[in-house]
mmCIF file of all heavy atoms in Angstrom:
data_model
loop_
_atom_site.group_PDB
_atom_site.id
_atom_site.type_symbol
_atom_site.label_atom_id
_atom_site.label_comp_id
_atom_site.label_asym_id
_atom_site.label_seq_id
_atom_site.Cartn_x
_atom_site.Cartn_y
_atom_site.Cartn_z
ATOM 1 N N ASN A 1 -90.654 195.833 -22.777
ATOM 2 C CA ASN A 1 -90.392 194.407 -22.543
ATOM 3 C C ASN A 1 -90.125 193.638 -23.830
ATOM 4 O O ASN A 1 -90.013 192.415 -23.796
ATOM 5 C CB ASN A 1 -91.570 193.764 -21.804
ATOM 6 C CG ASN A 1 -91.785 194.366 -20.444
ATOM 7 O OD1 ASN A 1 -90.849 194.849 -19.818
ATOM 8 N ND2 ASN A 1 -93.028 194.380 -19.981
ATOM 9 N N GLY A 2 -90.032 194.315 -24.943
ATOM 10 C CA GLY A 2 -89.760 193.666 -26.215
ATOM 11 C C GLY A 2 -91.000 192.993 -26.796
ATOM 12 O O GLY A 2 -92.096 193.102 -26.273
ATOM 13 N N TYR A 3 -90.794 192.288 -27.897
ATOM 14 C CA TYR A 3 -91.882 191.580 -28.579
ATOM 15 C C TYR A 3 -92.156 190.283 -27.837
ATOM 16 O O TYR A 3 -91.705 189.210 -28.233
ATOM 17 C CB TYR A 3 -91.487 191.335 -30.041
ATOM 18 C CG TYR A 3 -92.645 190.913 -30.904
ATOM 19 C CD1 TYR A 3 -93.600 191.825 -31.288
ATOM 20 C CD2 TYR A 3 -92.788 189.605 -31.313
ATOM 21 C CE1 TYR A 3 -94.672 191.448 -32.069
ATOM 22 C CE2 TYR A 3 -93.831 189.210 -32.096
ATOM 23 C CZ TYR A 3 -94.776 190.142 -32.471
ATOM 24 O OH TYR A 3 -95.846 189.759 -33.244
ATOM 25 N N SER A 4 -92.863 190.408 -26.716
ATOM 26 C CA SER A 4 -93.080 189.254 -25.846
ATOM 27 C C SER A 4 -94.523 189.225 -25.355
ATOM 28 O O SER A 4 -95.264 190.183 -25.487
ATOM 29 C CB SER A 4 -92.136 189.311 -24.658
ATOM 30 O OG SER A 4 -92.399 190.466 -23.884
ATOM 31 N N THR A 5 -94.872 188.093 -24.785
ATOM 32 C CA THR A 5 -96.212 187.887 -24.239
ATOM 33 C C THR A 5 -96.090 187.263 -22.854
ATOM 34 O O THR A 5 -95.015 186.796 -22.481
ATOM 35 C CB THR A 5 -97.035 186.992 -25.177
ATOM 36 O OG1 THR A 5 -98.348 186.855 -24.663
ATOM 37 C CG2 THR A 5 -96.425 185.623 -25.351
ATOM 38 N N ASN A 6 -97.171 187.245 -22.129
ATOM 39 C CA ASN A 6 -97.202 186.583 -20.830
ATOM 40 C C ASN A 6 -97.982 185.268 -20.892
ATOM 41 O O ASN A 6 -98.152 184.600 -19.888
ATOM 42 C CB ASN A 6 -97.805 187.494 -19.781
ATOM 43 C CG ASN A 6 -96.963 188.739 -19.564
ATOM 44 O OD1 ASN A 6 -95.761 188.695 -19.746
ATOM 45 N ND2 ASN A 6 -97.592 189.829 -19.215
ATOM 46 N N VAL A 7 -98.455 184.929 -22.093
ATOM 47 C CA VAL A 7 -99.220 183.696 -22.296
ATOM 48 C C VAL A 7 -98.418 182.819 -23.246
ATOM 49 O O VAL A 7 -98.053 183.244 -24.334
ATOM 50 C CB VAL A 7 -100.598 183.994 -22.923
ATOM 51 C CG1 VAL A 7 -101.376 182.747 -23.190
ATOM 52 C CG2 VAL A 7 -101.392 184.948 -22.007
ATOM 53 N N ILE A 8 -98.163 181.596 -22.841
ATOM 54 C CA ILE A 8 -97.399 180.695 -23.696
ATOM 55 C C ILE A 8 -98.340 179.758 -24.442
ATOM 56 O O ILE A 8 -99.285 179.228 -23.870
ATOM 57 C CB ILE A 8 -96.329 179.905 -22.891
ATOM 58 C CG1 ILE A 8 -95.395 179.191 -23.834
ATOM 59 C CG2 ILE A 8 -96.985 178.962 -21.906
ATOM 60 C CD1 ILE A 8 -94.103 178.793 -23.224
ATOM 61 N N ARG A 9 -98.087 179.592 -25.695
ATOM 62 C CA ARG A 9 -98.868 178.694 -26.535
ATOM 63 C C ARG A 9 -98.191 177.327 -26.550
ATOM 64 O O ARG A 9 -96.972 177.229 -26.362
ATOM 65 C CB ARG A 9 -98.938 179.222 -27.958
ATOM 66 C CG ARG A 9 -99.671 180.510 -28.079
ATOM 67 C CD ARG A 9 -99.635 180.984 -29.525
ATOM 68 N NE ARG A 9 -100.506 182.108 -29.695
ATOM 69 C CZ ARG A 9 -101.804 182.005 -29.911
ATOM 70 N NH1 ARG A 9 -102.373 180.850 -30.009
ATOM 71 N NH2 ARG A 9 -102.550 183.091 -30.052
ATOM 72 N N PRO A 10 -98.947 176.263 -26.796
ATOM 73 C CA PRO A 10 -98.340 174.942 -26.857
ATOM 74 C C PRO A 10 -97.239 174.847 -27.916
ATOM 75 O O PRO A 10 -96.216 174.186 -27.700
ATOM 76 C CB PRO A 10 -99.515 174.023 -27.194
ATOM 77 C CG PRO A 10 -100.705 174.740 -26.670
ATOM 78 C CD PRO A 10 -100.403 176.203 -26.856
ATOM 79 N N LEU A 11 -97.408 175.515 -29.054
ATOM 80 C CA LEU A 11 -96.385 175.474 -30.102
ATOM 81 C C LEU A 11 -95.090 176.151 -29.611
ATOM 82 O O LEU A 11 -93.999 175.645 -29.841
ATOM 83 C CB LEU A 11 -96.869 176.166 -31.373
ATOM 84 C CG LEU A 11 -95.862 176.234 -32.507
ATOM 85 C CD1 LEU A 11 -95.415 174.839 -32.940
ATOM 86 C CD2 LEU A 11 -96.419 177.005 -33.686
ATOM 87 N N ALA A 12 -95.208 177.282 -28.912
ATOM 88 C CA ALA A 12 -94.013 177.958 -28.385
ATOM 89 C C ALA A 12 -93.331 177.086 -27.339
ATOM 90 O O ALA A 12 -92.100 177.005 -27.291
ATOM 91 C CB ALA A 12 -94.395 179.309 -27.785
ATOM 92 N N LEU A 13 -94.112 176.420 -26.511
ATOM 93 C CA LEU A 13 -93.555 175.518 -25.513
ATOM 94 C C LEU A 13 -92.770 174.390 -26.205
ATOM 95 O O LEU A 13 -91.663 174.065 -25.801
ATOM 96 C CB LEU A 13 -94.691 174.937 -24.650
ATOM 97 C CG LEU A 13 -94.305 174.058 -23.500
ATOM 98 C CD1 LEU A 13 -93.489 174.849 -22.473
ATOM 99 C CD2 LEU A 13 -95.555 173.494 -22.841
ATOM 100 N N HIS A 14 -93.368 173.844 -27.256
ATOM 101 C CA HIS A 14 -92.689 172.794 -28.037
ATOM 102 C C HIS A 14 -91.400 173.327 -28.667
ATOM 103 O O HIS A 14 -90.380 172.622 -28.681
ATOM 104 C CB HIS A 14 -93.626 172.252 -29.114
ATOM 105 C CG HIS A 14 -92.957 171.319 -30.078
ATOM 106 N ND1 HIS A 14 -92.542 170.060 -29.711
ATOM 107 C CD2 HIS A 14 -92.611 171.477 -31.376
ATOM 108 C CE1 HIS A 14 -91.983 169.470 -30.758
ATOM 109 N NE2 HIS A 14 -92.008 170.319 -31.776
ATOM 110 N N GLN A 15 -91.421 174.560 -29.196
ATOM 111 C CA GLN A 15 -90.230 175.150 -29.809
ATOM 112 C C GLN A 15 -89.109 175.296 -28.788
ATOM 113 O O GLN A 15 -87.954 174.999 -29.098
ATOM 114 C CB GLN A 15 -90.569 176.503 -30.421
ATOM 115 C CG GLN A 15 -91.389 176.404 -31.692
ATOM 116 C CD GLN A 15 -91.842 177.764 -32.184
ATOM 117 O OE1 GLN A 15 -91.981 178.712 -31.413
ATOM 118 N NE2 GLN A 15 -92.078 177.859 -33.477
ATOM 119 N N PHE A 16 -89.436 175.761 -27.603
ATOM 120 C CA PHE A 16 -88.415 175.904 -26.558
ATOM 121 C C PHE A 16 -87.822 174.557 -26.207
ATOM 122 O O PHE A 16 -86.599 174.386 -26.133
ATOM 123 C CB PHE A 16 -88.992 176.549 -25.294
ATOM 124 C CG PHE A 16 -89.053 178.051 -25.370
ATOM 125 C CD1 PHE A 16 -90.284 178.683 -25.394
ATOM 126 C CD2 PHE A 16 -87.910 178.813 -25.379
ATOM 127 C CE1 PHE A 16 -90.351 180.063 -25.457
ATOM 128 C CE2 PHE A 16 -87.970 180.193 -25.429
ATOM 129 C CZ PHE A 16 -89.206 180.814 -25.471
ATOM 130 N N ARG A 17 -88.677 173.569 -25.953
ATOM 131 C CA ARG A 17 -88.219 172.254 -25.513
ATOM 132 C C ARG A 17 -87.435 171.526 -26.597
ATOM 133 O O ARG A 17 -86.452 170.847 -26.322
ATOM 134 C CB ARG A 17 -89.389 171.422 -25.025
ATOM 135 C CG ARG A 17 -89.928 171.948 -23.706
ATOM 136 C CD ARG A 17 -91.030 171.097 -23.177
ATOM 137 N NE ARG A 17 -91.466 171.616 -21.861
ATOM 138 C CZ ARG A 17 -92.598 171.317 -21.315
ATOM 139 N NH1 ARG A 17 -93.442 170.485 -21.918
ATOM 140 N NH2 ARG A 17 -92.938 171.826 -20.151
ATOM 141 N N SER A 18 -87.881 171.655 -27.864
ATOM 142 C CA SER A 18 -87.191 170.930 -28.944
ATOM 143 C C SER A 18 -85.816 171.545 -29.238
ATOM 144 O O SER A 18 -84.945 170.870 -29.800
ATOM 145 C CB SER A 18 -88.040 170.905 -30.194
ATOM 146 O OG SER A 18 -88.214 172.227 -30.718
ATOM 147 N N ASN A 19 -85.619 172.801 -28.867
ATOM 148 C CA ASN A 19 -84.310 173.442 -29.058
ATOM 149 C C ASN A 19 -83.460 173.398 -27.809
ATOM 150 O O ASN A 19 -82.386 174.015 -27.763
ATOM 151 C CB ASN A 19 -84.489 174.889 -29.510
ATOM 152 C CG ASN A 19 -85.010 174.973 -30.931
ATOM 153 O OD1 ASN A 19 -84.540 174.239 -31.794
ATOM 154 N ND2 ASN A 19 -85.986 175.825 -31.156
ATOM 155 N N GLY A 20 -83.923 172.688 -26.791
ATOM 156 C CA GLY A 20 -83.152 172.508 -25.566
ATOM 157 C C GLY A 20 -83.027 173.763 -24.714
ATOM 158 O O GLY A 20 -82.080 173.903 -23.967
ATOM 159 N N LYS A 21 -83.989 174.671 -24.843
ATOM 160 C CA LYS A 21 -83.938 175.918 -24.072
ATOM 161 C C LYS A 21 -84.945 175.873 -22.932
ATOM 162 O O LYS A 21 -85.948 175.192 -23.008
ATOM 163 C CB LYS A 21 -84.231 177.105 -24.972
ATOM 164 C CG LYS A 21 -83.183 177.274 -26.055
ATOM 165 C CD LYS A 21 -83.354 178.571 -26.759
ATOM 166 C CE LYS A 21 -82.234 178.710 -27.765
ATOM 167 N NZ LYS A 21 -82.202 179.977 -28.391
ATOM 168 N N GLU A 22 -84.634 176.613 -21.892
ATOM 169 C CA GLU A 22 -85.523 176.697 -20.747
ATOM 170 C C GLU A 22 -86.676 177.662 -21.080
ATOM 171 O O GLU A 22 -86.460 178.710 -21.690
ATOM 172 C CB GLU A 22 -84.759 177.219 -19.532
ATOM 173 C CG GLU A 22 -85.571 177.187 -18.264
ATOM 174 C CD GLU A 22 -84.743 177.610 -17.066
ATOM 175 O OE1 GLU A 22 -83.534 177.287 -17.029
ATOM 176 O OE2 GLU A 22 -85.318 178.263 -16.190
ATOM 177 N N VAL A 23 -87.868 177.286 -20.647
ATOM 178 C CA VAL A 23 -89.032 178.120 -20.911
ATOM 179 C C VAL A 23 -89.039 179.292 -19.918
ATOM 180 O O VAL A 23 -89.044 179.080 -18.705
ATOM 181 C CB VAL A 23 -90.338 177.292 -20.765
ATOM 182 C CG1 VAL A 23 -91.552 178.173 -21.012
ATOM 183 C CG2 VAL A 23 -90.314 176.106 -21.701
ATOM 184 N N PRO A 24 -89.034 180.543 -20.429
ATOM 185 C CA PRO A 24 -89.056 181.687 -19.502
ATOM 186 C C PRO A 24 -90.395 181.804 -18.785
ATOM 187 O O PRO A 24 -91.435 181.427 -19.311
ATOM 188 C CB PRO A 24 -88.815 182.889 -20.407
ATOM 189 C CG PRO A 24 -89.034 182.420 -21.785
ATOM 190 C CD PRO A 24 -88.952 180.948 -21.799
ATOM 191 N N ARG A 25 -90.379 182.307 -17.582
ATOM 192 C CA ARG A 25 -91.602 182.454 -16.789
ATOM 193 C C ARG A 25 -92.360 183.732 -17.155
ATOM 194 O O ARG A 25 -93.578 183.769 -17.068
ATOM 195 C CB ARG A 25 -91.260 182.479 -15.305
ATOM 196 C CG ARG A 25 -90.595 181.237 -14.848
ATOM 197 C CD ARG A 25 -91.493 180.503 -13.896
ATOM 198 N NE ARG A 25 -90.844 179.273 -13.461
ATOM 199 C CZ ARG A 25 -91.421 178.107 -13.539
ATOM 200 N NH1 ARG A 25 -92.625 178.006 -14.008
ATOM 201 N NH2 ARG A 25 -90.787 177.031 -13.136
ATOM 202 N N VAL A 26 -91.636 184.793 -17.513
ATOM 203 C CA VAL A 26 -92.257 186.047 -17.944
ATOM 204 C C VAL A 26 -91.599 186.510 -19.223
ATOM 205 O O VAL A 26 -90.505 186.055 -19.568
ATOM 206 C CB VAL A 26 -92.131 187.152 -16.865
ATOM 207 C CG1 VAL A 26 -92.946 186.825 -15.631
ATOM 208 C CG2 VAL A 26 -90.685 187.389 -16.507
ATOM 209 N N ASN A 27 -92.266 187.417 -19.933
ATOM 210 C CA ASN A 27 -91.767 187.962 -21.198
ATOM 211 C C ASN A 27 -91.359 186.863 -22.175
ATOM 212 O O ASN A 27 -90.237 186.816 -22.669
ATOM 213 C CB ASN A 27 -90.610 188.931 -20.965
ATOM 214 C CG ASN A 27 -91.027 190.137 -20.161
ATOM 215 O OD1 ASN A 27 -92.196 190.521 -20.179
ATOM 216 N ND2 ASN A 27 -90.115 190.727 -19.443
ATOM 217 N N ILE A 28 -92.287 185.981 -22.445
ATOM 218 C CA ILE A 28 -92.070 184.874 -23.363
ATOM 219 C C ILE A 28 -92.060 185.436 -24.800
ATOM 220 O O ILE A 28 -92.967 186.156 -25.175
ATOM 221 C CB ILE A 28 -93.195 183.837 -23.219
ATOM 222 C CG1 ILE A 28 -93.222 183.346 -21.777
ATOM 223 C CG2 ILE A 28 -93.026 182.690 -24.195
ATOM 224 C CD1 ILE A 28 -94.556 182.791 -21.339
ATOM 225 N N PRO A 29 -91.033 185.143 -25.589
ATOM 226 C CA PRO A 29 -90.988 185.664 -26.965
ATOM 227 C C PRO A 29 -92.224 185.230 -27.749
ATOM 228 O O PRO A 29 -92.608 184.065 -27.729
ATOM 229 C CB PRO A 29 -89.723 185.050 -27.536
ATOM 230 C CG PRO A 29 -88.887 184.722 -26.364
ATOM 231 C CD PRO A 29 -89.842 184.383 -25.253
ATOM 232 N N GLU A 30 -92.845 186.185 -28.421
ATOM 233 C CA GLU A 30 -94.043 185.902 -29.210
ATOM 234 C C GLU A 30 -93.649 185.316 -30.551
ATOM 235 O O GLU A 30 -92.823 185.899 -31.269
ATOM 236 C CB GLU A 30 -94.841 187.188 -29.424
ATOM 237 C CG GLU A 30 -96.044 187.060 -30.292
ATOM 238 C CD GLU A 30 -97.080 186.088 -29.771
ATOM 239 O OE1 GLU A 30 -97.480 186.210 -28.605
ATOM 240 O OE2 GLU A 30 -97.468 185.202 -30.537
#
């Protein structure tokens, strides 16, 4: 599944949103 996690951190959530990307539901990049 690559270098990914199933738990999203607030900082990763902020990174996705600030770059205009959709937050994945599974295999979230670590």
Side-chain angles (χ1 to χ4, degrees):
N1 297 331
Y3 193 74
S4 62
T5 183
N6 296 331
V7 178
I8 191 161
R9 295 178 171 276
L11 178 60
L13 185 63
H14 172 70
Q15 288 173 334
F16 278 113
R17 289 184 177 161
S18 65
N19 290 316
K21 297 190 177 187
E22 187 176 325
V23 179
R25 300 247 180 232
V26 293
N27 297 334
I28 302 156
E30 176 60 53

